[in-house]
Amino acid sequence: MEINEKLFKALANQTRLNILRWLKDPEKEITSVSGETVRFMMAEKGGICVADIVTKAGLTQSTVSTYLKLLLDAGLLLSERHGKWTYYRRNEENIQRLGQLIQEKL
């Protein structure tokens, strides 16, 4: 991971920062509307369903999907596809590396 404009653009929005915070502790922060428990989604699906993030954010699905793509492209999220659903989780390795890079370079 390198510090670049794409990374800081992804972080330059309160809702995108909230998404990263919610995904840090999804069992506490996100209520599943899909019928699956958050614990099951994390263990079996590898992340949280977009629909549940949309509900938490209170924004349209297209807006949240755009935000998730920016975070994914910046290397801050990982995604896993199961059928027609995509599940997201934080890329903890890159988030830790970002903190180190900021400390070292800025």
Side-chain angles (χ1 to χ4, degrees):
M1 168 177 265
E2 66 180 63
I3 296 178
N4 60 40
E5 187 177 320
K6 183 187 292 189
L7 177 62
F8 284 106
K9 180 179 179 181
L11 295 172
N13 173 281
Q14 187 60 54
T15 301
R16 291 191 292 266
L17 291 172
N18 288 342
I19 290 169
L20 287 172
R21 186 177 48 80
W22 300 333
L23 292 177
K24 184 175 184 179
D25 189 2
E27 287 186 54
K28 177 183 169 194
E29 297 289 342
I30 296 178
T31 303
S32 175
V33 295
S34 63
E36 297 177 326
T37 67
V38 170
R39 183 181 306 257
F40 172 80
M41 282 190 282
M42 293 302 294
E44 299 293 322
K45 305 289 186 173
I48 300 299
C49 181
V50 173
D52 295 326
I53 298 170
V54 167
T55 300
K56 176 75 174 178
L59 299 170
T60 65
Q61 187 273 330
S62 62
T63 298
V64 171
S65 290
T66 298
Y67 287 176
L68 292 169
K69 179 160 179 18
L70 280 167
L71 292 167
L72 187 66
D73 289 348
L76 299 171
L77 292 182
L78 299 169
S79 68
E80 198 167 312
R81 189 118 173 119
H82 292 269
K84 63 181 180 175
W85 306 106
T86 303
Y87 294 81
Y88 290 88
R89 67 184 180 280
R90 288 166 40 119
N91 184 335
E92 295 297 342
E93 183 179 319
N94 279 354
I95 290 172
Q96 286 181 6
R97 184 70 185 127
L98 172 60
Q100 292 169 348
L101 284 169
I102 288 172
Q103 203 169 31
E104 293 168 7
K105 307 260 185 208
L106 297 180

